[in-house]
Amino acid sequence: MDRSKIIVKSPGRINLIGEHVDYNGGYVLPGATDLFIQFSFSNSKKKYSEVYSSVIDKKCKIYFDNLSKRVIQWENYLVGSLISILKKRKVELKNFNCLIEGNLPLGSGISSSSSLICGFIKGIDQLNNLNLNNDEILSVSREVEYDFIGLKGGIMDQFTIINSKKNNFILLNTADNSAEFIKSDLGDYKLLLLNTNKKHNLSDSAYNKRVEECQEALKIINDSGYNIKFLTQIDVKELRKIKELMLDNIFNRALYVTQENNRTIQSVQYLKNLDLKSLGKLLYSSHEGLRDLYEVSCEELDYLVDKTRIYDQILGARMMGGGFGGCTINLIHKDFIDTFVSEVSESYSSMFSLELSPIITSLGEGLRYKV
Ligand code: GLA
């Protein structure tokens, strides 16, 4: 097969519920967006490789014999991917040209960086006949973010980007990475994302701090006589019994994680029974937990969630992703989207001097390619 030109499409990810539990061995319920990054790879005869992103109108040169850390972050995603690929396969890679296009918004809590990494790895894999299977792409992409970028995140984003199926959520058990596809049947309701356009940087200490706090909670629990591997394995009642052993913020993180894990499991039942009203209530509880116990929300996200509460046509809303900015996810009646969006956009921009970007999304395919 002529592998001189490869097109890869890599989606973003949304998460219906199960936030900040993927590094605590819990259940998450994400899916791929129908928005994606598109890569066009071709071989190059030059002594270096070139990547041009039309999305940000930036280009970068890559020399395989100088894959060191860069000052510009998006270049690090590419360089880090090449380093991890070369660790996995001791081969000589061919120089290439890569054009990056697409409609996936950047830095909005829908995982554009993981999407960039996974798509880039897939293209290099195909161009060089490396035969990386999905599990290998998963481990390579995880290594880039964890070790090279330094974000101590869980597995949810990359797993979803690589494995999603159209119109399905994935019930992913992050304790053992087993997954079940759950058909998304939302009837007259749609998933509306409202992008705050407040920029967040997840490698910021705040995300990693939450990871550390969860590890601390787990240690205290085990030191008090339990023997659990993940924070999600203690139930809320047991946790309350040892509350006085922890500082308040550590207890709150642990309480949120156990409650959120339960909410995810419950949500799947509601989805299967088409009980969207009850599902919506869980989205609100999830937001409250993220805001008050886990403390990863922000004014803009809280404002957008609160704005939905008076409308019967919106069954639930919450912040989505790592937090501190990014998007809310709203379960909203299809006929009410336009009215709500125009109302909330106006009040949001006058309140925060930021533009609000609405994204109506359905669940799309995972990573795919064409030769
Ligand atoms: C980011 C991380 C994920 C997950 C979410 C929060 O998107 O990359 O692993 O922890 O935050 O649920």
Side-chain angles (χ1 to χ4, degrees):
M1 199 185 298
D2 172 25
R3 288 184 183 260
S4 56
K5 194 154 174 74
I6 316 275
I7 308 278
V8 176
K9 288 184 181 176
S10 184
R13 73 98 191 86
I14 59 164
N15 187 23
L16 188 60
I17 198 159
E19 217 65 86
H20 284 278
V21 295
D22 66 338
Y23 49 87
N24 288 304
Y27 284 93
V28 293
L29 196 54
T33 59
D34 49 5
L35 306 172
F36 53 84
I37 302 178
Q38 174 164 309
F39 304 76
S40 310
F41 284 89
S42 55
N43 287 316
S44 167
K45 294 212 159 54
K46 294 185 184 151
K47 296 216 159 10
Y48 53 86
S49 296
E50 270 176 308
V51 182
Y52 170 67
S53 165
S54 70
V55 184
I56 51 173
D57 190 22
K58 293 256 172 342
K59 64 166 105 134
C60 81
K61 275 189 192 172
I62 298 173
Y63 292 86
F64 292 135
D65 58 2
N66 180 14
L67 295 175
S68 48
K69 201 137 197 172
R70 309 239 172 148
V71 185
I72 299 167
Q73 190 69 329
W74 78 279
E75 298 183 11
N76 279 326
Y77 296 132
L78 311 177
V79 169
S81 298
L82 293 168
I83 294 175
S84 293
I85 290 172
L86 288 168
K87 268 199 226 157
K88 193 82 156 186
R89 294 277 193 278
K90 313 254 173 290
V91 292
E92 213 168 286
L93 297 175
K94 297 177 198 155
N95 274 309
F96 62 89
N97 293 312
C98 173
L99 166 66
I100 300 179
E101 301 163 288
N103 54 10
L104 186 68
L106 308 179
S108 315
I110 46 182
S111 230
S112 53
S113 31
S114 301
S115 172
L116 180 68
I117 293 171
C118 292
F120 187 70
I121 294 170
K122 185 77 191 172
I124 298 294
D125 164 60
Q126 286 298 313
L127 207 59
N128 293 280
N129 281 306
L130 302 180
N131 292 318
L132 293 171
N133 63 32
N134 280 355
D135 287 345
E136 288 173 312
I137 294 181
L138 185 66
S139 80
V140 170
S141 62
R142 295 260 302 136
E143 187 180 293
V144 180
E145 293 206 48
Y146 205 89
D147 295 337
F148 197 71
I149 303 293
L151 177 73
K152 305 300 181 194
I155 201 170
M156 169 170 79
D157 299 359
Q158 300 86 351
F159 190 97
T160 308
I161 289 164
I162 295 169
N163 296 300
S164 278
K165 271 200 222 160
K166 202 172 163 54
N167 291 329
N168 279 271
F169 292 103
I170 303 178
L171 176 63
L172 171 64
N173 178 357
T174 61
D176 60 8
N177 295 345
S178 57
E180 183 191 336
F181 287 100
I182 310 284
K183 228 180 158 14
S184 156
D185 188 355
L186 303 178
D188 286 338
Y189 288 83
K190 294 260 179 224
L191 295 173
L192 167 71
L193 308 181
L194 293 177
N195 182 359
T196 58
N197 285 314
K198 178 168 176 181
K199 290 296 164 218
H200 62 157
N201 182 358
L202 283 186
S203 17
D204 258 349
S205 50
Y207 182 96
N208 289 348
K209 183 103 204 326
R210 294 298 177 280
V211 177
E212 280 165 25
E213 287 166 342
C214 288
Q215 285 161 353
E216 191 179 332
L218 181 65
K219 182 166 186 314
I220 297 172
I221 293 166
N222 281 333
D223 286 351
S224 80
Y226 288 84
N227 182 16
I228 57 171
K229 192 164 170 211
F230 299 111
L231 199 47
T232 43
Q233 287 168 340
I234 186 160
D235 71 39
V236 175
K237 255 203 211 140
E238 297 293 310
L239 183 65
R240 286 193 197 279
K241 284 191 204 152
I242 52 169
K243 179 178 190 310
E244 72 285 357
L245 299 178
M246 301 180 194
L247 290 173
D248 281 354
N249 69 324
I250 301 296
F251 173 76
N252 287 344
R253 308 299 188 240
L255 180 63
Y256 163 77
V257 165
T258 52
Q259 290 177 335
E260 179 76 351
N261 192 45
N262 294 339
R263 281 190 284 266
T264 310
I265 296 165
Q266 183 66 64
S267 296
V268 175
Q269 278 321 308
Y270 291 148
L271 254 186
K272 286 182 175 167
N273 300 340
L274 306 181
D275 182 356
L276 299 185
K277 268 204 175 140
S278 304
L279 176 65
K281 287 196 187 125
L282 288 183
L283 299 188
Y284 282 126
S285 315
S286 169
H287 185 77
E288 281 145 27
L290 287 157
R291 183 191 62 199
D292 303 334
L293 298 174
Y294 217 67
E295 297 180 279
V296 290
S297 189
C298 62
E299 262 185 284
E300 291 82 353
L301 291 165
D302 293 341
Y303 177 83
L304 291 175
V305 170
D306 286 340
K307 270 278 166 188
T308 66
R309 292 183 194 269
I310 54 166
Y311 300 111
D312 290 344
Q313 300 93 325
I314 303 178
L315 301 182
R318 64 177 200 85
M319 56 148 277
M320 190 184 77
F324 310 107
C327 288
T328 60
I329 180 167
N330 302 267
L331 185 55
I332 181 171
H333 194 282
K334 63 178 179 16
D335 298 337
F336 189 58
I337 295 178
D338 289 349
T339 315
F340 177 62
V341 163
S342 75
E343 214 177 283
V344 74
S345 300
E346 213 179 296
S347 68
Y348 178 81
S349 57
S350 69
M351 182 95 182
F352 297 104
S353 306
L354 282 169
E355 206 186 304
L356 189 69
S357 316
I359 306 167
I360 303 164
T361 183
S362 55
L363 297 172
E365 289 289 330
L367 193 61
R368 54 216 186 264
Y369 70 97
K370 219 169 56 203
V371 179

CSV table of all heavy atoms in Angstrom, one decimal, residues 292-330:
chain,number,residue,atom,x,y,z
A,292,ASP,N,-17.9,22.9,45.4
A,292,ASP,CA,-17.8,23.1,46.8
A,292,ASP,C,-16.8,22.2,47.5
A,292,ASP,O,-16.1,22.5,48.4
A,292,ASP,CB,-19.2,22.9,47.5
A,292,ASP,CG,-20.2,23.8,46.9
A,292,ASP,OD1,-19.8,24.9,46.4
A,292,ASP,OD2,-21.4,23.5,47.0
A,293,LEU,N,-16.7,20.9,47.0
A,293,LEU,CA,-15.9,19.9,47.7
A,293,LEU,C,-14.5,19.8,47.0
A,293,LEU,O,-13.5,19.7,47.6
A,293,LEU,CB,-16.5,18.6,47.7
A,293,LEU,CG,-17.8,18.5,48.5
A,293,LEU,CD1,-18.5,17.1,48.4
A,293,LEU,CD2,-17.6,18.8,50.0
A,294,TYR,N,-14.6,19.8,45.6
A,294,TYR,CA,-13.3,19.5,44.9
A,294,TYR,C,-12.7,20.9,44.5
A,294,TYR,O,-11.5,20.9,44.2
A,294,TYR,CB,-13.6,18.7,43.6
A,294,TYR,CG,-12.5,17.7,43.4
A,294,TYR,CD1,-12.2,16.7,44.2
A,294,TYR,CD2,-11.7,17.9,42.2
A,294,TYR,CE1,-11.2,15.8,44.0
A,294,TYR,CE2,-10.6,17.0,42.0
A,294,TYR,CZ,-10.4,16.0,42.9
A,294,TYR,OH,-9.3,15.1,42.6
A,295,GLU,N,-13.5,21.9,44.5
A,295,GLU,CA,-13.0,23.3,44.3
A,295,GLU,C,-12.2,23.4,43.0
A,295,GLU,O,-11.0,23.9,43.0
A,295,GLU,CB,-12.2,23.8,45.5
A,295,GLU,CG,-13.0,23.9,46.7
A,295,GLU,CD,-12.3,24.4,48.0
A,295,GLU,OE1,-11.6,23.6,48.6
A,295,GLU,OE2,-12.4,25.6,48.3
A,296,VAL,N,-12.8,23.0,41.9
A,296,VAL,CA,-12.1,23.2,40.6
A,296,VAL,C,-13.0,24.0,39.6
A,296,VAL,O,-12.7,24.1,38.4
A,296,VAL,CB,-11.8,21.8,39.9
A,296,VAL,CG1,-10.6,21.1,40.7
A,296,VAL,CG2,-13.0,20.9,39.8
A,297,SER,N,-14.1,24.6,40.1
A,297,SER,CA,-14.9,25.4,39.3
A,297,SER,C,-14.4,26.8,39.3
A,297,SER,O,-13.3,27.1,39.8
A,297,SER,CB,-16.4,25.3,39.7
A,297,SER,OG,-17.2,26.0,38.8
A,298,CYS,N,-15.1,27.7,38.6
A,298,CYS,CA,-14.7,29.2,38.7
A,298,CYS,C,-16.0,30.0,38.5
A,298,CYS,O,-17.1,29.4,38.1
A,298,CYS,CB,-13.7,29.5,37.6
A,298,CYS,SG,-14.3,29.2,35.9
A,299,GLU,N,-15.9,31.2,38.7
A,299,GLU,CA,-17.1,32.1,38.6
A,299,GLU,C,-17.9,32.0,37.3
A,299,GLU,O,-19.1,31.9,37.3
A,299,GLU,CB,-16.6,33.6,38.6
A,299,GLU,CG,-16.6,34.3,39.8
A,299,GLU,CD,-16.2,35.8,39.5
A,299,GLU,OE1,-14.9,36.0,39.3
A,299,GLU,OE2,-17.0,36.6,39.4
A,300,GLU,N,-17.1,31.9,36.2
A,300,GLU,CA,-17.8,31.9,34.9
A,300,GLU,C,-18.6,30.6,34.7
A,300,GLU,O,-19.7,30.6,34.2
A,300,GLU,CB,-16.7,31.9,33.8
A,300,GLU,CG,-16.0,33.3,33.6
A,300,GLU,CD,-14.8,33.5,34.6
A,300,GLU,OE1,-14.6,32.6,35.5
A,300,GLU,OE2,-14.1,34.5,34.5
A,301,LEU,N,-18.0,29.4,35.2
A,301,LEU,CA,-18.7,28.2,35.1
A,301,LEU,C,-19.9,28.1,36.0
A,301,LEU,O,-21.0,27.7,35.6
A,301,LEU,CB,-17.7,27.0,35.4
A,301,LEU,CG,-16.6,26.7,34.4
A,301,LEU,CD1,-15.5,25.8,35.1
A,301,LEU,CD2,-17.1,26.1,33.2
A,302,ASP,N,-19.7,28.6,37.2
A,302,ASP,CA,-20.9,28.6,38.1
A,302,ASP,C,-22.0,29.5,37.6
A,302,ASP,O,-23.2,29.1,37.7
A,302,ASP,CB,-20.4,29.2,39.5
A,302,ASP,CG,-19.5,28.3,40.2
A,302,ASP,OD1,-19.4,27.1,39.8
A,302,ASP,OD2,-18.7,28.7,41.1
A,303,TYR,N,-21.6,30.6,37.0
A,303,TYR,CA,-22.7,31.5,36.5
A,303,TYR,C,-23.5,30.8,35.4
A,303,TYR,O,-24.7,30.8,35.4
A,303,TYR,CB,-22.0,32.8,35.9
A,303,TYR,CG,-22.9,33.7,35.2
A,303,TYR,CD1,-23.6,34.7,36.0
A,303,TYR,CD2,-23.1,33.7,33.8
A,303,TYR,CE1,-24.5,35.6,35.4
A,303,TYR,CE2,-24.0,34.6,33.2
A,303,TYR,CZ,-24.7,35.5,34.0
A,303,TYR,OH,-25.5,36.4,33.4
A,304,LEU,N,-22.8,30.1,34.5
A,304,LEU,CA,-23.5,29.5,33.4
A,304,LEU,C,-24.4,28.3,33.9
A,304,LEU,O,-25.5,28.1,33.3
A,304,LEU,CB,-22.4,28.9,32.4
A,304,LEU,CG,-21.7,30.0,31.6
A,304,LEU,CD1,-20.6,29.4,30.7
A,304,LEU,CD2,-22.7,30.8,30.7
A,305,VAL,N,-23.9,27.6,34.9
A,305,VAL,CA,-24.7,26.5,35.4
A,305,VAL,C,-26.0,27.1,36.1
A,305,VAL,O,-27.1,26.7,35.9
A,305,VAL,CB,-23.9,25.6,36.3
A,305,VAL,CG1,-24.8,24.6,37.1
A,305,VAL,CG2,-22.9,24.8,35.5
A,306,ASP,N,-25.7,28.2,36.9
A,306,ASP,CA,-26.8,28.8,37.7
A,306,ASP,C,-27.9,29.3,36.7
A,306,ASP,O,-29.1,29.3,37.0
A,306,ASP,CB,-26.3,29.8,38.6
A,306,ASP,CG,-25.6,29.2,39.8
A,306,ASP,OD1,-25.9,28.0,40.1
A,306,ASP,OD2,-24.8,29.9,40.5
A,307,LYS,N,-27.5,29.9,35.6
A,307,LYS,CA,-28.4,30.4,34.6
A,307,LYS,C,-29.4,29.4,34.1
A,307,LYS,O,-30.5,29.8,33.6
A,307,LYS,CB,-27.6,31.0,33.4
A,307,LYS,CG,-27.2,32.4,33.6
A,307,LYS,CD,-28.3,33.3,33.2
A,307,LYS,CE,-28.1,34.7,33.7
A,307,LYS,NZ,-29.3,35.5,33.5
A,308,THR,N,-29.1,28.1,34.2
A,308,THR,CA,-29.9,27.1,33.6
A,308,THR,C,-31.1,26.7,34.5
A,308,THR,O,-32.0,26.1,34.1
A,308,THR,CB,-29.2,25.8,33.2
A,308,THR,OG1,-28.7,25.2,34.5
A,308,THR,CG2,-28.0,26.1,32.3
A,309,ARG,N,-30.9,27.0,35.8
A,309,ARG,CA,-31.7,26.4,36.8
A,309,ARG,C,-33.2,26.7,36.7
A,309,ARG,O,-34.0,26.0,37.1
A,309,ARG,CB,-31.2,26.7,38.2
A,309,ARG,CG,-29.8,26.0,38.5
A,309,ARG,CD,-29.4,26.3,39.9
A,309,ARG,NE,-28.0,25.9,40.1
A,309,ARG,CZ,-27.6,24.7,40.5
A,309,ARG,NH1,-28.4,23.8,40.8
A,309,ARG,NH2,-26.3,24.5,40.7
A,310,ILE,N,-33.5,27.9,36.2
A,310,ILE,CA,-34.9,28.3,36.2
A,310,ILE,C,-35.7,27.7,35.0
A,310,ILE,O,-36.9,27.9,34.9
A,310,ILE,CB,-35.0,29.9,36.2
A,310,ILE,CG1,-34.2,30.5,35.0
A,310,ILE,CG2,-34.6,30.5,37.5
A,310,ILE,CD1,-34.6,31.9,34.7
A,311,TYR,N,-35.0,27.1,34.1
A,311,TYR,CA,-35.7,26.6,32.9
A,311,TYR,C,-36.0,25.1,32.9
A,311,TYR,O,-35.1,24.3,33.1
A,311,TYR,CB,-34.8,26.9,31.6
A,311,TYR,CG,-34.5,28.3,31.4
A,311,TYR,CD1,-33.2,28.8,31.6
A,311,TYR,CD2,-35.5,29.2,31.0
A,311,TYR,CE1,-32.9,30.1,31.4
A,311,TYR,CE2,-35.2,30.5,30.8
A,311,TYR,CZ,-33.9,31.0,31.0
A,311,TYR,OH,-33.6,32.3,30.8
A,312,ASP,N,-37.3,24.8,32.8
A,312,ASP,CA,-37.7,23.4,32.7
A,312,ASP,C,-37.1,22.7,31.5
A,312,ASP,O,-37.0,21.5,31.5
A,312,ASP,CB,-39.3,23.3,32.6
A,312,ASP,CG,-39.9,23.7,33.9
A,312,ASP,OD1,-39.2,23.8,34.9
A,312,ASP,OD2,-41.1,24.1,33.9
A,313,GLN,N,-36.8,23.5,30.5
A,313,GLN,CA,-36.3,22.8,29.2
A,313,GLN,C,-34.9,22.4,29.4
A,313,GLN,O,-34.3,21.7,28.5
A,313,GLN,CB,-36.4,23.8,28.1
A,313,GLN,CG,-37.8,24.3,27.7
A,313,GLN,CD,-38.1,25.6,28.4
A,313,GLN,OE1,-37.7,25.9,29.6
A,313,GLN,NE2,-38.9,26.4,27.8
A,314,ILE,N,-34.2,22.8,30.5
A,314,ILE,CA,-32.9,22.3,30.7
A,314,ILE,C,-32.9,21.3,31.9
A,314,ILE,O,-33.3,21.7,33.0
A,314,ILE,CB,-31.9,23.5,31.0
A,314,ILE,CG1,-32.0,24.5,29.8
A,314,ILE,CG2,-30.5,23.0,31.1
A,314,ILE,CD1,-31.1,25.7,29.9
A,315,LEU,N,-32.5,20.1,31.6
A,315,LEU,CA,-32.7,19.1,32.7
A,315,LEU,C,-31.5,19.0,33.6
A,315,LEU,O,-31.6,18.6,34.8
A,315,LEU,CB,-32.9,17.7,32.1
A,315,LEU,CG,-34.1,17.6,31.2
A,315,LEU,CD1,-34.2,16.1,30.6
A,315,LEU,CD2,-35.4,18.0,31.9
A,316,GLY,N,-30.3,19.5,33.1
A,316,GLY,CA,-29.2,19.5,34.0
A,316,GLY,C,-28.0,20.2,33.4
A,316,GLY,O,-28.0,20.3,32.1
A,317,ALA,N,-27.0,20.6,34.2
A,317,ALA,CA,-25.8,21.3,33.6
A,317,ALA,C,-24.7,21.1,34.7
A,317,ALA,O,-25.0,21.0,35.9
A,317,ALA,CB,-26.1,22.7,33.4
A,318,ARG,N,-23.5,21.1,34.2
A,318,ARG,CA,-22.4,21.1,35.1
A,318,ARG,C,-21.1,21.5,34.3
A,318,ARG,O,-21.1,21.5,33.1
A,318,ARG,CB,-22.2,19.7,35.7
A,318,ARG,CG,-21.8,18.6,34.6
A,318,ARG,CD,-21.6,17.3,35.3
A,318,ARG,NE,-20.8,16.4,34.4
A,318,ARG,CZ,-19.5,16.4,34.3
A,318,ARG,NH1,-18.8,17.2,35.1
A,318,ARG,NH2,-18.9,15.7,33.5
A,319,MET,N,-20.1,21.9,35.1
A,319,MET,CA,-18.8,22.1,34.4
A,319,MET,C,-18.2,20.8,33.9
A,319,MET,O,-18.6,19.7,34.5
A,319,MET,CB,-17.8,22.8,35.4
A,319,MET,CG,-17.5,22.0,36.7
A,319,MET,SD,-15.8,22.3,37.3
A,319,MET,CE,-14.9,21.1,36.3
A,320,MET,N,-17.4,20.8,32.9
A,320,MET,CA,-16.9,19.6,32.3
A,320,MET,C,-15.4,19.6,32.2
A,320,MET,O,-14.9,20.7,31.9
A,320,MET,CB,-17.6,19.4,30.9
A,320,MET,CG,-17.3,18.1,30.3
A,320,MET,SD,-18.0,18.0,28.6
A,320,MET,CE,-16.8,18.9,27.7
A,321,GLY,N,-14.8,18.5,32.4
A,321,GLY,CA,-13.3,18.4,32.2
A,321,GLY,C,-12.6,18.8,33.5
A,321,GLY,O,-13.1,18.8,34.6
A,322,GLY,N,-11.3,19.2,33.3
A,322,GLY,CA,-10.5,19.5,34.5
A,322,GLY,C,-10.9,20.7,35.3
A,322,GLY,O,-10.7,20.7,36.5
A,323,GLY,N,-11.5,21.7,34.7
A,323,GLY,CA,-12.1,22.8,35.4
A,323,GLY,C,-11.2,24.1,35.3
A,323,GLY,O,-10.4,24.2,34.4
A,324,PHE,N,-11.5,25.0,36.2
A,324,PHE,CA,-10.9,26.4,36.2
A,324,PHE,C,-11.1,27.1,34.9
A,324,PHE,O,-10.4,28.1,34.6
A,324,PHE,CB,-9.4,26.2,36.4
A,324,PHE,CG,-9.0,25.4,37.6
A,324,PHE,CD1,-8.5,24.1,37.4
A,324,PHE,CD2,-9.2,25.8,38.9
A,324,PHE,CE1,-8.1,23.3,38.4
A,324,PHE,CE2,-8.9,25.0,40.0
A,324,PHE,CZ,-8.4,23.7,39.7
A,325,GLY,N,-12.1,26.8,34.1
A,325,GLY,CA,-12.3,27.4,32.8
A,325,GLY,C,-12.9,26.2,31.9
A,325,GLY,O,-13.3,25.2,32.4
A,326,GLY,N,-12.8,26.4,30.6
A,326,GLY,CA,-13.3,25.4,29.7
A,326,GLY,C,-14.9,25.5,29.6
A,326,GLY,O,-15.4,26.6,29.5
A,327,CYS,N,-15.5,24.4,29.5
A,327,CYS,CA,-17.0,24.4,29.1
A,327,CYS,C,-17.9,23.9,30.2
A,327,CYS,O,-17.5,23.2,31.1
A,327,CYS,CB,-17.2,23.3,28.0
A,327,CYS,SG,-16.6,23.7,26.4
A,328,THR,N,-19.2,24.3,30.0
A,328,THR,CA,-20.2,23.5,30.8
A,328,THR,C,-20.9,22.6,29.8
A,328,THR,O,-20.8,22.8,28.6
A,328,THR,CB,-21.3,24.5,31.3
A,328,THR,OG1,-21.9,25.2,30.3
A,328,THR,CG2,-20.7,25.5,32.4
A,329,ILE,N,-21.5,21.5,30.3
A,329,ILE,CA,-22.2,20.6,29.5
A,329,ILE,C,-23.7,20.7,30.0
A,329,ILE,O,-23.9,20.7,31.2
A,329,ILE,CB,-21.7,19.2,29.5
A,329,ILE,CG1,-22.5,18.3,28.6
A,329,ILE,CG2,-21.6,18.6,30.9
A,329,ILE,CD1,-21.9,16.9,28.3
A,330,ASN,N,-24.6,20.9,29.0
A,330,ASN,CA,-26.0,21.1,29.4
A,330,ASN,C,-26.9,20.1,28.6
A,330,ASN,O,-26.7,19.9,27.4
A,330,ASN,CB,-26.4,22.5,28.9
A,330,ASN,CG,-25.6,23.6,29.5
A,330,ASN,OD1,-25.9,24.1,30.5
A,330,ASN,ND2,-24.4,23.9,28.9
